[in-house]
Amino acid sequence: MANKKYVYFFGQGKAEGSAGMKNLLGGKGANLAEMTNLEIPVPAGFTITTEVCTAYYENNQQYPEELWAQVGENLKKVEEAMGAKFGDPQKPLLVSVRSGARVSMPGMMDTVLNLGLNDETVQGVISQTRNERFAYDSYRRFINMFGDVVMGLAHGKFEKIFQAKKNELGVKLDTELDTEALNDIVAKYKALVKQETGKDYPEDPRTQLEMAIGAVFGSWNTERAITYRRLNKIPGDWGTAVNVQSMVYGNMGNDSGTGVAFTRDPATGENVFFGEYLIDAQGEDVVAGIRTPQPINIAQKKGSTLPSLEEEMPQTYKELEEIYKRLENHYTDMQDLEFTIQKGKLFLLQTRVGKRTAAAAIKIAVDMAEEGLIDKPTAVLRVEPGQLDQLLHPMIDPNTKPEVIAKGLPASPGAAVGKIVFTAEKAQEDAEKGEAVVLVRIETSPEDIGGMHAAQGILTARGGMTSHAAVVARGMGKCCVAGCGALEIHGEAGYMSVGDLKIREGDFISLNGSTGQVILGEAKLIKAELSGDFSKLMSWADELRTLKVRTNADTPEDAQVAREFGAEGIGLCRTEHMFFGEERLPIVQEMILADSKEARQKALDQLLPMQKSDFKGIFKAMKDLPVTIRLLDPPLHEFLPKGEELIVQIADLKFQLSSMASLEEIDDLLAQIKEKEYLATKVESLHEFNPMLGHRGCRLGITYPEIYNMQVQAIFEAACELTKEGYSIVPEVMIPLIGDVNEFSYIKKSAIVIAEDVMKRSGVTLKYMLGTMIEIPRAALTADAIAKEAEFFSFGTNDLTQMTFGFSRDDAGVFLPGYVEKKILSEDPFIALDQTGVGQLVQMGVEKGRSVRPDLKVGICGEHGGEPSSVEFCYRVGLNYVSCSPYRVPIARLAAAHARIKEEQA
Amino acid sequence: MANKKYVYFFGQGKAEGSAGMKNLLGGKGANLAEMTNLEIPVPAGFTITTEVCTAYYENNQQYPEELWAQVGENLKKVEEAMGAKFGDPQKPLLVSVRSGARVSMPGMMDTVLNLGLNDETVQGVISQTRNERFAYDSYRRFINMFGDVVMGLAHGKFEKIFQAKKNELGVKLDTELDTEALNDIVAKYKALVKQETGKDYPEDPRTQLEMAIGAVFGSWNTERAITYRRLNKIPGDWGTAVNVQSMVYGNMGNDSGTGVAFTRDPATGENVFFGEYLIDAQGEDVVAGIRTPQPINIAQKKGSTLPSLEEEMPQTYKELEEIYKRLENHYTDMQDLEFTIQKGKLFLLQTRVGKRTAAAAIKIAVDMAEEGLIDKPTAVLRVEPGQLDQLLHPMIDPNTKPEVIAKGLPASPGAAVGKIVFTAEKAQEDAEKGEAVVLVRIETSPEDIGGMHAAQGILTARGGMTSHAAVVARGMGKCCVAGCGALEIHGEAGYMSVGDLKIREGDFISLNGSTGQVILGEAKLIKAELSGDFSKLMSWADELRTLKVRTNADTPEDAQVAREFGAEGIGLCRTEHMFFGEERLPIVQEMILADSKEARQKALDQLLPMQKSDFKGIFKAMKDLPVTIRLLDPPLHEFLPKGEELIVQIADLKFQLSSMASLEEIDDLLAQIKEKEYLATKVESLHEFNPMLGHRGCRLGITYPEIYNMQVQAIFEAACELTKEGYSIVPEVMIPLIGDVNEFSYIKKSAIVIAEDVMKRSGVTLKYMLGTMIEIPRAALTADAIAKEAEFFSFGTNDLTQMTFGFSRDDAGVFLPGYVEKKILSEDPFIALDQTGVGQLVQMGVEKGRSVRPDLKVGICGEHGGEPSSVEFCYRVGLNYVSCSPYRVPIARLAAAHARIKEEQA
């Protein structure tokens, strides 16, 4: 390992790295190298590889031996390129130190700017720039940032000193502080560092550099970074690279500035250059959303009174325009750029594939394909299936006139309705109680991630389209209105105000993330309208995929929605849903409480016509498409009141008894007590220690054949009657919870008798199929035996996951989050199919099943059927279809296309 | 299939079958053929194969076409052999029709004797035998039996007519009825048949034969036969053969008789000829136990006043003695013979391997090996491991003087203590409530099987050592005292009496099945003394086996018992057992209710010395043998009171509140309510929907590392201290409920730190192992990953069965019995390991584990570790050891030897 290369240089139009080296150099480093090679103006610098980060954590937080020597060599090259020297009192080189992982984790990790400043070099900066105020401003910013990021002091402590100085001088704006004031602040900052850490702030630039590099690597494993990775499914062992780059300054006066831009609109996907900048500012001022930034061009002003870059520096804007087009063409994807103008000279600090909303992703993909920039499979791959989610959920009804109380930036589209909360903690707390909340913050910071995730939407008073809130919300597919300056937020006092209007914590508001409207009260939501581009992209996806997509739907309404979303059949129609209907529940309870087969049959006779009409509704809604109906699955006690409730009710009645006077009342109470006690006895007799593993599914069907018989009769009567009306129906009857082929055969036998009987009586001959869920590990293990009898399989991966892991989904909440936090599991297996363990059983089930019945139709109907990585897995192991909830059907269609395209490309 | 042979002839010293054709001809048929070939006097006949039975049930209860033609041909051969003709009015052939399965199912299936009798042939019998009374007696017996067995009339209806005739004539004994009376009974029986069935009793012998054959095949699937097969694990598709054999008569006067005999004593195994007979009787009179039979020889009289066969017919006895020796030598195993003496001529009707008690099995096997008749592996195979159970359980303490109130025959050894019940139904009912019962019957019949199984022991007033009660009880390994004539049983009145003593239903009695004593009250039981033959056989088994046998033991006492039974280590020491101790539970609850880590640690500090002393006790008891200690497994709420109980208590306290007068009392009640309500909240917060799949095992260890840390510390401190005292201990720490290798690594990490720390502090260096349970399906599926970290595996097949089947053991009682009844499962998978499904995971776990760690030590510690078929499976898949409860250790040792011997022989 002696000659291992840990550091890659870039500068002077030539770089050691390239865009293809993202895993090693991180996204930012690879792109800085690529841009340098494209002869785009980039300040010189070097990248320390992600391997150093991984080695650091694997090796007990020790760096590889060679590292510091290589850093030194490259620092020299940077000095040469920039004609400045690190620590030089005349012409000092200052650098930034930034993280850069394979994928962008905006705001998650630490950055140190202006590194290299000390009491000597600050003089060099003054003599170079002839701008003493700028030099001291940079110096105070550096000590603040270094103290915060590297030495662990709270930012607020610096802020307090800064604010005190402003108060002392009676100024409002930071820019109003003069050199003397800044110089004094620098002295106070240094004293603060000494006092709080017991150590002097390091004057030696080389020490500063090494400490800053360490801090960036350290920031890979902060709580907030871990949370972000968990939410975004980024493996912890990818590590981050560190980029050390010479500083350029956007805060050198009115001929300087800094900004971020997207080569197309990241919210809508429109093919317009889109961006924001701030004059006389450093980069973090834009990203942090502290000042409301200016639009980059005239096209984008949209009513803003601030001047655009195009107007203020037309030459520079042109140069930027030329560069962005070059970059987009080079990368053939929409880019997210960071640039700085230092005294009129443009520098690109970063380019990367830009994050975008789902709508934008679709539009950009379709446009680029139609522009001939990319082909259709690439276009399809450009839209992440999971992203579609934000398009498929309801929007604010445009036909209503909601009470708009303010308007901010339309930072992330969609709509949100919820009660106001002012802290991330409260958002999480209330969301856990099942309440819909809208998180309202002056601005958000990485600490708020959990709360943002929990909220329906996010509203901020400050910050632009690329502020933390906006970027993160778009990534989450969560509605966000940002920079709504009309808001005055008094979180601690529990209210916010807009003009005279006071809105308290707990009051309802609604957000329209597509327009920026903030609405008082609960707005009416409707289904999203899907764009023509959406249909186009989906049709390309449909052409490319082979895996079918069905839906899980229990009602004609759901079936209808799913058809509209492109479902090709029903993969799971749960009949128990129908048992819970208001007018049915009493009959279902009568059936359960029946003491004899006859009494049970009587109740079932009442249920028969109801179930039949349910099935007719569903068959009609899915006309000509296949429908899989699962026979009753849950344990019977689910249909009865809870035992504890009855105990409390009985105790309460007995308590009342002691205060009753009239004999009549007493008689009445006694009668009630008797009835409740009878019910309690029944409930008690049906009580199970582990209902998940209890008397349910086909086990019920075997103990009480009359229940399944009724259901089969209803299915076939419905199908026969509709066949006479001209429908073409092939009922697929699915038997749940099979663990042994004999269970299946036992039920199959009666089902056939009933089906044949119904058909005979109706004079209709139907093709039909009898199949089974594979949701018990033993079913997968003995799938060859089962496939001899069953005509189709459908993997019930919810239950299969429960039993394969031994996790009760209802109870695992106590320890599963800790498992993901402690990296024991990389993901919640109830969200993404566990391909390592559960996946083995799925694959085994498919292979064993097809070994005896080669044309066995196999699907999946667990919730994983709508989760992209799981859909791809299903394709790889050869399933015929996935089935998911109606709103996830397009996601599954797209994921199925991705799977096919990736396979073809591999 | 045109030429398939369905019928096999035997007679005149030559048979078409042989002993090796048991599967085809059934045990009885094969042995009749074999005996015939050995030139032993056997009445001629033929056997219809078991294939006919199977085909009959598979083919919708239709017989193969060829069958009746083949029956006809063979009937002719029998007629030739016996010089008589079926249906002939002069010299009629009469036959018996009997079932005969692969293994004996005593009393389970139907038999028809004297078939061929009608109003014409009865005259032929008279002229042949010159015994009119005998002829009519046979005739009335035949109609009764045919009516009952073939035509489905209740036996009691015939019995009533018979009794009425006896009453009419004022006689007591059956033999006192004269020809005229019997003739009258015949007429009345015929009228009864006509009246009850609407059909005439069939006069045509050929029709009788076909109907009787049908009835025997039909009896294969009666409820009682199905129950018997279930209890004895006999597959339903084996089917039965039917033997049609010419009749010989033991009821032709005082020179005739019939009996059954064993070539050695089936109760003790002693090498003496053992048997019973009745003079002037037919076979079923002996088997049914209606008359108390006579001893076969002088040696066996033991106080009986009845004359023996040796005394009454010395010549015939000698002949029988010569035959039994020949048969035992031929079969090299103890034989169970049936014989009939017809007018001084001896016929053997059956020979088969005799059932025997466990003690007898051991003695016979050891004796025969020492006699040189069989080799040691054969001797070991002769004892069924499961049979040992009856030897390993407590006996009545011989040092006590129990109040013996009567004495019967020592029909099946062992001891029983329980409340008296008089019906099988009541026995089952009370046993289900967890009560120990002794079933007391005048005599038992096949309908009583369920009750016999449920009872601790069986006591009958009538019947001999080969009566139904005795044979069945020995088969079950259940204590039985039979033929206790001193008892007067008044079941319907709810009592029995012995002389003046009245004993009511529900009173306790005790039985000594080894002496025949009936004892009033609850006798004191002690451990069984094991014979020298037992040790000898077990030492042969130990020499032959390679699979190790450990025990599951949580206390030093259990560990001691297990060592005495030959355990070679502890495979599972459950530490939670120790948490339930009376003085510990409050501390454990304190630990659970702790609101902070500190408070929890404080409680754990109190538990540490207790656990340490537990472990020291166990290490000492197992000196030098390996001990596997499993860390805490059950969910924490198991250590707290039940939520429902608390609700009821609180409601009760509130109810009391309303009737309280003094303020002091009210304050006190309110305080109690508050405390209970706090506890209830905690219990509620720990409540789980499916605790089996909840927060338990290593999941607890990960959430609360301090619990496992305390346990590991206790283990290592105990081991280190004992090492200093000269013990040699290699602790095996087992982590439960692992589903992913990361769980294991997480816990392993702290465990190593603690272990090393304890060793360092003690100055002792121990070898130790960290391993895991494999009890979650995913653990088996990912065993290769887990084995990289874990040093040993132990299959927890209880949980593995639960999760692989999706059966909650606590809840499956509702449907599992139905599954076995309906043949959906051949066995309860919690009793015998499901080799088809769960077994795949076990095999996969072993193979994957050893693929990365070839010397991985693998065991099993589920209850299957003591079940013979499961032990054999464990050997076949390459486990190093099985671990089971102390009393099952010898069973596992023997089963392990069987597995090895069978493999060597295969």
Side-chain angles (χ1 to χ4, degrees), chain A residues 560-624:
Chain A
Q560 190 51 42
V561 171
R563 273 200 89 141
E564 283 163 22
F565 279 135
E568 295 162 299
I570 287 181
L572 175 63
C573 171
R574 286 168 288 244
T575 52
E576 54 269 26
H577 184 101
M578 306 163 181
F579 276 42
F580 279 109
E582 206 178 329
E583 64 175 313
R584 295 153 186 213
L585 196 54
I587 310 174
V588 172
Q589 291 182 347
E590 197 185 310
M591 187 262 293
I592 295 167
L593 298 176
D595 278 330
S596 68
K597 199 170 165 170
E598 291 65 36
R600 193 156 44 243
Q601 189 60 54
K602 219 181 108 198
L604 286 167
D605 289 345
Q606 287 179 269
L607 287 172
L608 178 68
M610 299 177 182
Q611 286 253 298
K612 184 159 89 177
S613 88
D614 294 330
F615 295 138
K616 283 176 95 164
I618 287 191
F619 284 137
K620 279 183 178 177
M622 294 307 283
K623 189 178 160 111
D624 294 345

Side-chain angles (χ1 to χ4, degrees), chain B residues 661-736:
Chain B
S662 92
L663 276 178
E664 217 168 78
E665 282 171 330
I666 288 175
D667 279 351
D668 179 51
L669 274 173
L670 286 174
Q672 283 185 50
I673 289 170
K674 201 176 156 189
E675 194 193 314
K676 295 270 182 201
E677 283 183 336
Y678 175 74
L679 195 56
T681 313
K682 263 285 173 183
V683 168
E684 173 65 24
S685 78
L686 288 174
H687 172 263
E688 296 188 309
F689 295 96
N690 298 286
M692 176 59 48
L693 308 176
H695 198 195
R696 48 177 286 240
C698 69
R699 301 165 193 174
L700 279 180
I702 287 169
T703 313
Y704 307 113
E706 51 278 13
I707 300 178
Y708 275 15
N709 289 349
M710 179 279 284
Q711 295 195 297
V712 172
Q713 186 177 346
I715 292 168
F716 281 87
E717 288 184 357
C720 285
E721 288 175 20
L722 288 179
T723 302
K724 287 183 183 168
E725 292 176 25
Y727 286 83
S728 150
I729 295 167
V730 181
E732 298 176 353
V733 178
M734 184 154 75
I735 300 165

Side-chain angles (χ1 to χ4, degrees), chain A residues 642 644 647-648 651 654-655 657-658 685 687-696 698-700 702-705 737 739-740 742-743 746 776-782 784 802-812 814-815 818-819 822-826 834 836-838 840-841 844 848, chain B residues 642 644 647-648 651 654-655 657-658 685 687-696 698-700 702-705 737 739-740 742-743 746 776-782 784 802-812 814-815 818-819 822-826 834 836-838 840-841 844 848:
Chain A
K642 296 257 166 300
E644 292 88 342
I647 293 175
V648 171
K654 285 188 176 167
F655 184 72
L657 205 56
S658 63
S685 79
H687 171 264
E688 296 187 310
F689 294 98
N690 298 285
M692 176 59 50
L693 308 177
H695 198 196
R696 49 176 285 239
C698 69
R699 300 164 194 175
L700 279 178
I702 288 169
T703 314
Y704 307 113
L737 220 71
D740 188 284
N742 290 338
E743 294 174 312
Y746 189 89
I776 299 244
R778 196 174 184 277
L781 291 163
T782 62
D784 39 358
Q802 295 199 90
M803 293 176 205
T804 305
F805 271 94
F807 286 168
S808 159
R809 191 173 188 169
D810 294 327
D811 302 310
V814 181
F815 58 88
Y819 267 39
K822 289 173 178 135
K823 304 186 187 174
I824 288 170
L825 294 177
S826 63
D834 161 50
T836 313
V838 179
Q840 277 189 54
L841 288 176
M844 193 183 294
K848 288 193 172 190
Chain B
K642 295 257 168 299
E644 293 88 341
I647 293 175
V648 171
K654 286 187 177 169
F655 184 72
L657 204 57
S658 64
S685 78
H687 172 263
E688 296 188 309
F689 295 96
N690 298 286
M692 176 59 48
L693 308 176
H695 198 195
R696 48 177 286 240
C698 69
R699 301 165 193 174
L700 279 180
I702 287 169
T703 313
Y704 307 113
L737 219 69
D740 188 282
N742 289 338
E743 295 174 310
Y746 190 90
I776 299 243
R778 197 174 185 276
L781 290 163
T782 62
D784 39 359
Q802 294 198 91
M803 295 180 205
T804 305
F805 271 94
F807 285 167
S808 159
R809 190 174 190 170
D810 293 327
D811 302 311
V814 181
F815 57 87
Y819 268 39
K822 291 176 177 130
K823 305 185 186 175
I824 287 170
L825 294 177
S826 62
D834 161 50
T836 312
V838 179
Q840 277 189 54
L841 287 176
M844 193 183 296
K848 289 194 171 192

Side-chain angles (χ1 to χ4, degrees), chain B residues 493-537:
Chain B
Y495 73 97
M496 65 179 198
S497 52
V498 182
D500 292 340
L501 186 66
K502 244 188 187 173
I503 309 161
R504 310 210 148 268
E505 187 154 60
D507 289 349
F508 272 100
I509 57 164
S510 307
L511 303 179
N512 186 338
S514 310
T515 61
Q517 288 172 325
V518 179
I519 295 154
L520 192 65
E522 299 175 77
K524 190 185 162 198
L525 300 184
I526 54 150
K527 270 197 319 196
E529 279 300 314
L530 295 172
S531 71
D533 285 333
F534 175 84
S535 308
K536 202 174 277 175
L537 189 90

Side-chain angles (χ1 to χ4, degrees), chain A residues 697-717:
Chain A
C698 69
R699 300 164 194 175
L700 279 178
I702 288 169
T703 314
Y704 307 113
E706 51 278 12
I707 299 178
Y708 276 14
N709 289 349
M710 179 280 282
Q711 296 196 297
V712 171
Q713 188 177 344
I715 292 169
F716 280 87
E717 288 184 358

Side-chain angles (χ1 to χ4, degrees), chain B residues 861-879:
Chain B
C861 61
E863 280 170 43
H864 300 111
E867 192 281 324
S869 72
S870 312
V871 173
E872 294 196 19
F873 173 80
C874 291
Y875 173 76
R876 286 202 307 275
V877 299
L879 261 51

